[in-house]
Amino acid sequence: MSGDNSNLNVLNALDVAKTQWYHFTAIIIAGMGFFTDAYDLFCISLITKMLGRIYYHVDGSPKPGSLPPNVYAAVNGVALCGTLVGQLFFGWLGDKMGRKKVYGLTLMVMCICSIASGLSFGSKPKSS
């Protein structure tokens, strides 16, 4: 029963606490966590459209190219599986190394990979 009382004391302390800069920082960090986590899931539909237009365009066709259904499913499936594996791995790593350090690491990885994907190029589905 004493555990319930201490939980209520914590909740009461939170209720009467004045709003401080720390509260805004926590909200911003939580928002950025959501952004970095959902970034690839929100943009995967745009990516599949661009991949179809770049790599599966037929010259002379009035319609833009689109991914074949099996490739479309594979790209979406890899994005979802990668999200799951990344959450499990970086969650485990956060427990081992500390959440703040791993959050910075994931942010660096995401920035580097975003820049690398922006610098990548090619217009044929198969390499020579």
Side-chain angles (χ1 to χ4, degrees), residues 22 72 77 95 127-128:
Y22 173 77
Y72 179 82
D95 289 341
S127 61
S128 310

Side-chain angles (χ1 to χ4, degrees), residues 57-77:
H57 176 71
V58 178
D59 289 334
S61 174
K63 290 182 145 186
S66 62
L67 289 177
N70 59 340
V71 175
Y72 179 82
V75 169
N76 284 317

Side-chain angles (χ1 to χ4, degrees), residues 29-39 42:
I29 298 268
M32 285 304 295
F34 173 75
F35 172 75
T36 57
D37 187 39
Y39 172 75
F42 287 147

Side-chain angles (χ1 to χ4, degrees), residues 19-91:
T19 303
Q20 300 172 0
W21 181 248
Y22 173 77
H23 295 102
F24 294 110
T25 304
I27 290 169
I28 290 169
I29 298 268
M32 285 304 295
F34 173 75
F35 172 75
T36 57
D37 187 39
Y39 172 75
D40 58 339
L41 298 178
F42 287 147
C43 72
I44 196 66
S45 63
L46 299 172
I47 298 299
T48 54
K49 281 196 179 291
M50 286 191 293
L51 288 174
R53 289 178 184 206
I54 292 170
Y55 294 115
Y56 292 92
H57 176 71
V58 178
D59 289 334
S61 174
K63 290 182 145 186
S66 62
L67 289 177
N70 59 340
V71 175
Y72 179 82
V75 169
N76 284 317
V78 166
L80 291 172
C81 290
T83 298
L84 176 65
V85 170
Q87 287 175 348
L88 293 174
F89 175 72
F90 283 106

